[in-house]
Amino acid sequence: QVQLVESGGGLVQPGGSLRLTCVPSRSIFRINAMGWYRQAPGKQRELVATITTGGSTNYADSVKGRFTISRDNAKNTVYLQMNSLKPEDTAVYYCNAEIRVTITGMWSDYWGQGTQVTVSS
């Protein structure tokens, strides 16, 4: 069973920065698109940013200019650099990826367990 493992969340003051990292729990054959989503208390999960294997990115309007998604294809790792954080960025952040675990397997959608980001003074 493959899991996506997130790290890097925590408590930060407004205006501060955090860097989230996400990597599969074991070796896999191939990863397609990867992304980050977040869910604040009482709200639906929303897209934060996505990135293709070729490096094309897409951002929610609320994070454009502050967050940067990137990936290391050799390490099957995706990152989310979050700068100028605001209290409204407080949420559980989830990693998402389309993965083909084995060469004969099918593409499937995987989610991480989530990492808490709290922006507060």
Side-chain angles (χ1 to χ4, degrees):
Q1 183 74 12
V2 175
Q3 296 180 336
L4 293 174
V5 181
E6 301 123 331
S7 60
L11 173 63
V12 63
Q13 292 186 341
S17 298
L18 284 173
R19 189 193 197 205
L20 305 183
T21 300
C22 172
V23 61
S25 58
R26 65 175 183 90
S27 63
I28 51 90
F29 173 66
R30 198 69 54 85
I31 293 184
N32 198 2
M34 304 183 80
W36 291 94
Y37 292 73
R38 67 186 181 186
Q39 187 167 17
K43 295 187 177 182
Q44 289 188 330
R45 190 174 298 188
E46 62 177 5
L47 179 146
V48 176
T50 60
I51 185 167
T52 67
T53 52
S56 296
T57 58
N58 180 51
Y59 294 94
D61 288 342
S62 59
V63 306
K64 283 181 181 177
R66 300 187 299 121
F67 291 10
T68 301
I69 189 171
S70 61
R71 64 189 288 171
D72 184 331
N73 289 330
K75 297 180 179 179
N76 291 324
T77 301
V78 65
Y79 307 96
L80 185 67
Q81 178 66 43
M82 304 184 293
N83 298 328
S84 302
L85 281 161
K86 305 175 181 180
E88 51 263 43
D89 294 318
T90 296
V92 177
Y93 283 70
Y94 297 90
C95 176
N96 171 259
E98 188 179 21
I99 296 175
R100 192 173 178 181
V101 178
T102 63
I103 194 170
T104 58
M106 299 176 62
W107 290 102
S108 297
D109 207 38
Y110 288 82
W111 292 88
Q113 79 288 352
T115 185
Q116 177 70 46
V117 172
T118 302
V119 185
S120 176
S121 55

